[in-house]
Amino acid sequence: MNTSTQAPFALEVSGLTRTYGEGVGAVHALAGVDLAFPSGTFTAVMGPSGSGKSTFLTCAAGLERPTGGAVVIDGQEITRWSEDDRTRFRRERIGFVFQGFHLMPYLTAEQNVGLPLRLAGHRPDRARVRSLLERVGLSDRAGHLPGTLSGGQQQRVAIARALVTGPAVILADEPTGSLDSRTAHDVLRLLRSLDDRTVVMVTHDPVAAAYADSVVFLVDGRVAGRMDAPTADAVAGQMAHLDDLVAVEAAS
Amino acid sequence: MTGLALRSLRHRATAFTATFLAVLLGTALIGSFATLIQTATGPVSSTDGETLMVLGAVVGGWGTLIVLFSVASTLAITVRQREVEIGLLRTIGATPRQARRLIRLEALVVAILAALGGSLVAAVGGRALLAMLRNGGLVADDVAYGGGVAALAAAAAGVVLTSVLAASIAGRRATGGPATVALAQGASESGRMRWWRVLAALVLIGYGLAMGVVTITVSADSADPYDAMATSGSSSILVGVGLALLAPLLLRWLSVLARPILGRSGPTGHLAAYNTSRRSHLLSGVLAPVIVLTASSIGTLTLVGIDGRTLAGGVSTPETHTINVLNNVVVGMLSLFAAIMVINSFAAVVSHRRAELNRLWLLGATPGQVRGSVLAEAWVVAGVGVLVGAAAALATIVPFGVARHEGVVPDGQLWLPPLLAAGVVLLTLLSARSAVRRVAPAAPAGQPALR
C-alpha cells in the first residue's frame, strides 16, 4: 500500500465539499476547501464554531466521505474507496489524536500503543512500542491502565499510539481541549518535536495554534486566510478579524 | 422530582424495557406459584393442602431466588448506563439524595406497571398450573382455584420491593463519587464486590452443598423416594445463583485461562481477552444468567432422567408422571426467564459500550473487527458460564444419583448436559450478535462522533 515515491505533500485536499441535508435546509459544512500540507510540517487549522473544522478533519481522515472533491494522502486518492479499504488505509497511514484521548480503558499503556498494529494484523514490536513510550516520556508507565494515568499522560500515550504505525500524517482534534495549560504546553511541545512527521491540528485556541509552523483559518467552510510563524497574539487578532468578516458577510 | 422521573422514563422508554420485562416475567412466575399457596389455605383436604403448599413454597422459592436476582442485576446495569446523566444532574445542583430519589422513583414506576401486568399473567398461569396438577392426579379433582388478590399482590409487592431496593443500592453506587459530567472513559471502574454479596454467595453455595450432603446421608434412606428429590432438587439452583453472585470474580479469574487461546485468534481475541478480565464487572451481568440457566437446566433435567430410570422399576404412575411434567415446566419457565435475561443483559451491556466501540472504529478497526471483539467476549462469557454452571449442576446430580444408586455418574442420558450446554452457548452468541448489530458503528451515514 505504501508507494515508495515520497509525495511532496503528506495531505492534500482539493475542492473539498461536504453538505448535510438537502434543499433549503442544506448545511454546507465545507464549501470548497483547497489545502496542501507539506511533509514534515506542523499546521494548525483554526476557525470559529461551525466553521467546518471537525468536518474537515473527518473527511481528510477518510472517516467520512465528502460530497465532492478529493483527498490525497501520501499520494493516494482515498475518497472513492470502500469503507473497509479506507479503514485499512487509515490505520496504517493516519495517526489520530483526540480531545478525549480515546484510550481503551481495559488495555495498559503499552497495549494501547500497540493496538493499531494489532488491528492491522501485526504483532506489535515490543522494542518499538517501548521506544515510543520513552519518546513521550512514559517509559515507566508502560504497564499502567489509563484510569491510573493523568490527563496529560493519557494524551501522551495517545500520541505514541498515533505514531506507532509510522503514519504519513497525524491528525489531532483539539488535543489539548481537555488539559490544563501546563499539561497542554507539554503535549504541544511534544507534537512540535515530531519534526519528522506531518501534523495537522484542529483547534480554536490561539495559544495552541501558536505552537504550529503555520495556521490556516476556516470560516463558513472556506479557507479565509493563512499565517506563517504564528504568535498567540497575532492569531487571536486574526480570529477577531475573522469574526468581523463573518458578521459583514451575514449582514450583506 | 416525580415529574422529572416520569419525563425521564418517557424519554428513555427503550432503556427501561429491560427492567420492565424482568419484573413482568418475574411477577408472572412467582405469582403463579403464590396462587397455589393461597389455594392450599382454602377448603381443600389436608393432603392436597400439603402438596400445594410444598409445591408453591419449594418450587416457587427457587423461582423467587432467580427472579429477584435477575431483577436486581438488570436494574444495576440500567442505572450504571446513566452515570454521565446522573453526574450532569448533580453538577446543576441535584444533591446525591435527590439523584438517588430520582433513580428510585423511576424504578418504582416501571416496577409497579410491570408487576401489574405480571399479576394478570400469573392469574391465568396459576389456574393453568392448578389444572395441570388436577389432571395429573396430584391433587383431588374437586380442588378449586383459590388464588386471588392476596397471593398476586404479595408476589407483586415482593418484586416491586426488590426493584426499589436494588435501585437504591445502584443509586448509592452511582452517586458515591464527586459530581462530574466528564466522561470517565479512562477510568477503570473497579469491580470491587461488597462484603454482603460475597456473604450471600457463600451462604447459598453452602446451603446447596449441605442439602446435597443431607440427600446422601439422610434422605437417600427415606421410605419416600421423593424425599431425595426434595432435598437435592434445588441444590443446583442454589449453588448456581450463589456462583452467579460471584460472577465478576469468576470471570476475572477464568478468563485469564482463556487468554492464550484468544491471543492466537487475532486482534479481536486480544481485545476480548483483556476486556473480559479487566472489566469483568460489566460482563458479569451477562455471565450471571448464563450460569443460572446452565445450572438449573442441566441439574433439573438430569435429575428427571435419573428419576425416570430408577423409580419403581420404570412403572409410570400418575404421580411420577405429574412430578416429571412439573419438573419440566419449572425448567422450561426458568430457562425461558434466564434466556430472556441473557438477551436483555447483553443488549444493555453492549449499548452501554456504544461510545467505546465507536472509538475502536476511529482507531482503525473495521466494523467486522468491532463486531468480532464483542463476539469473542461472548465466547468467553459462554465458556466460563457453561463451565461454572455445569459444576453447579453437579450439586444436584451427584447426591441424587448416589441416593438412587446410580452412583456419581448417571447411568444414561449423558448426551443431555453437552446438548444443553451447546444450547446455552448458542443463545449467548446469538444475543451478542443481535446486540452488537444494533450498535455497530454506522460508518458512512451521518457525521462520526470524534469526541
Side-chain angles (χ1 to χ4, degrees):
Chain A
M1 202 172 284
N2 303 336
T3 46
S4 51
T5 50
Q6 177 74 31
F9 297 111
L11 168 65
E12 200 178 351
V13 302
S14 51
L16 201 62
T17 60
R18 181 70 176 98
T19 309
Y20 295 106
E22 284 175 6
V24 200
V27 177
H28 301 280
L30 293 177
V33 173
D34 299 288
L35 282 172
F37 301 91
S39 297
T41 58
F42 180 11
T43 312
V45 176
M46 288 203 72
S49 297
S51 59
K53 298 185 303 270
S54 287
T55 310
F56 166 74
L57 209 65
T58 54
C59 286
L63 285 171
E64 195 177 1
R65 198 170 264 154
T67 312
V71 176
V72 180
I73 298 170
D74 208 18
Q76 310 239 24
E77 213 282 279
I78 62 165
T79 39
R80 300 294 147 216
W81 291 10
S82 74
E83 172 62 29
D84 272 11
D85 286 343
R86 276 184 290 142
T87 300
R88 265 178 224 115
F89 183 80
R90 196 172 76 230
R91 71 182 170 209
E92 288 183 6
R93 304 306 295 147
I94 301 173
F96 246 121
V97 180
F98 303 91
Q99 175 175 359
F101 319 138
H102 284 14
L103 299 177
M104 291 293 135
Y106 48 89
L107 297 182
T108 63
E110 194 176 7
Q111 288 167 334
N112 263 296
V113 173
L115 183 59
L117 293 175
R118 281 213 183 259
L119 290 173
H122 309 302
R123 183 164 278 279
D125 176 4
R126 212 182 161 82
R128 176 167 172 75
V129 169
R130 290 270 171 172
S131 81
L132 280 170
L133 278 174
E134 198 170 327
R135 183 165 176 186
V136 300
L138 289 175
S139 43
D140 55 334
R141 294 280 190 279
H144 288 232
L145 288 175
T148 64
L149 298 174
S150 71
Q153 289 172 331
Q154 290 189 48
Q155 192 61 301
R156 281 187 278 157
V157 172
I159 290 171
R161 178 179 64 189
L163 290 169
V164 77
T165 55
V169 59
I170 289 178
L171 302 175
D173 180 40
E174 301 276 8
T176 56
S178 309
L179 302 176
D180 65 78
S181 60
R182 228 188 95 77
T183 321
H185 169 75
D186 292 342
V187 165
L188 287 163
R189 275 216 335 210
L190 177 62
L191 281 176
R192 190 167 62 180
S193 73
L194 309 172
D195 43 13
D196 53 334
R197 297 278 158 227
T198 315
V199 179
V200 177
M201 172 179 72
V202 160
T203 182
H204 69 268
D205 176 10
V207 177
Y211 284 83
D213 302 327
S214 60
V215 181
V216 172
F217 297 92
L218 278 189
V219 179
D220 294 344
R222 287 191 180 81
V223 179
R226 196 181 176 99
M227 181 187 289
D228 289 329
T231 65
D233 283 344
V235 173
Q238 182 80 354
M239 282 294 283
H241 183 57
L242 289 176
D243 285 347
D244 289 346
L245 276 183
V246 176
V248 171
E249 265 179 37
S252 62
Chain B
M1 234 351 122
T2 315
L4 186 61
L6 289 175
R7 210 160 304 169
S8 146
L9 277 179
R10 217 167 349 156
H11 180 66
R12 204 175 292 97
T14 43
F16 282 100
T17 314
T19 313
F20 185 87
L21 263 178
V23 173
L24 179 89
L25 284 167
T27 314
L29 193 64
I30 299 180
S32 301
F33 283 96
T35 60
L36 291 188
I37 297 179
Q38 201 184 355
T39 304
T41 60
V44 295
S45 70
S46 63
T47 24
D48 285 349
E50 199 194 351
T51 308
L52 289 170
M53 201 61 133
V54 166
L55 278 175
V58 173
V59 182
W62 311 346
T64 308
L65 194 62
I66 294 183
V67 166
L68 299 186
F69 175 73
S70 311
V71 169
S73 74
T74 310
L75 254 165
I77 294 177
T78 26
V79 170
R80 187 174 280 160
Q81 281 182 334
R82 303 179 46 206
E83 268 169 357
V84 173
E85 183 200 322
I86 292 163
L88 173 72
L89 269 180
R90 289 181 57 200
T91 54
I92 57 173
T95 62
R97 183 194 290 270
Q98 280 175 319
R100 283 200 294 271
R101 211 171 134 225
L102 175 73
I103 294 169
R104 263 203 311 273
L105 271 171
E106 286 174 356
L108 185 68
V109 173
V110 173
I112 286 178
L113 288 177
L116 279 177
S119 304
L120 293 180
V121 178
V124 180
R127 281 191 175 83
L129 205 57
L130 187 66
M132 209 178 66
L133 297 179
R134 272 198 306 258
N135 291 343
L138 206 67
V139 293
D141 284 339
D142 59 352
V143 173
Y145 176 75
V149 177
L152 297 177
V159 178
V160 170
L161 202 69
T162 313
S163 308
V164 174
L165 196 69
S168 303
I169 294 169
R172 199 161 281 278
R173 187 167 269 213
T175 57
T180 175
V181 277
L183 279 156
Q185 50 156 268
S188 50
E189 318 146 53
S190 75
R192 239 163 40 89
M193 301 216 317
R194 303 301 182 89
W195 61 269
W196 45 263
R197 189 166 164 173
V198 179
L199 185 70
L202 294 179
V203 167
L204 284 171
I205 296 170
Y207 185 59
L209 294 179
M211 293 300 275
V213 174
V214 167
T215 305
I216 295 174
T217 54
V218 182
S219 48
D221 308 324
S222 165
D224 185 348
Y226 281 116
D227 278 356
M229 186 188 282
T231 49
S232 68
S234 58
S235 289
S236 62
I237 299 176
L238 286 167
V239 175
V241 174
L243 289 170
L245 279 171
L246 297 176
L249 277 182
L250 294 171
L251 190 58
R252 194 147 62 226
W253 293 337
L254 293 175
S255 63
V256 171
L257 298 179
R259 234 180 238 180
I261 310 164
L262 285 168
R264 241 172 284 142
S265 58
T268 54
H270 171 77
L271 288 171
Y274 289 101
N275 193 35
T276 44
S277 58
R278 291 199 182 131
R279 286 205 305 183
S280 53
H281 57 286
L282 259 185
L283 280 167
S284 63
V286 187
L287 177 62
V290 174
I291 294 177
V292 174
L293 177 59
T294 315
S296 60
S297 60
I298 293 184
T300 312
L301 288 180
T302 309
L303 170 120
V304 171
I306 296 174
D307 186 49
R309 281 192 300 277
T310 55
L311 196 68
V315 182
S316 178
T317 65
E319 193 193 8
T320 61
H321 176 70
T322 310
I323 287 182
N324 270 342
V325 170
L326 202 64
N327 267 322
N328 287 332
V329 166
V330 169
V331 170
M333 279 164 81
L334 292 184
S335 298
L336 180 73
F337 188 77
I340 287 171
M341 293 312 300
V342 172
I343 296 168
N344 230 346
S345 45
F346 234 122
V349 166
V350 171
S351 81
H352 178 50
R353 293 174 57 201
R354 187 192 293 257
E356 178 204 316
L357 295 175
N358 182 59
R359 202 184 307 164
L360 205 54
W361 172 69
L362 283 175
L363 293 176
T366 60
Q369 283 178 324
V370 175
R371 282 196 297 273
S373 79
V374 175
L375 278 185
E377 284 165 17
W379 270 109
V380 177
V381 169
V384 171
V386 164
L387 206 71
V388 174
L394 293 178
T396 284
I397 298 172
V398 171
F400 192 66
V402 170
R404 291 290 180 86
H405 309 296
E406 284 209 347
V408 174
V409 180
D411 288 348
Q413 284 186 336
L414 287 177
W415 46 268
L416 188 66
L419 187 73
L420 291 170
V424 173
V425 170
L426 194 69
L427 174 78
T428 313
L429 291 178
L430 285 180
S431 41
R433 215 176 68 150
S434 82
V436 78
R437 192 173 280 176
R438 245 172 292 148
V439 300
Q447 186 160 13
L450 274 182
R451 291 180 186 123

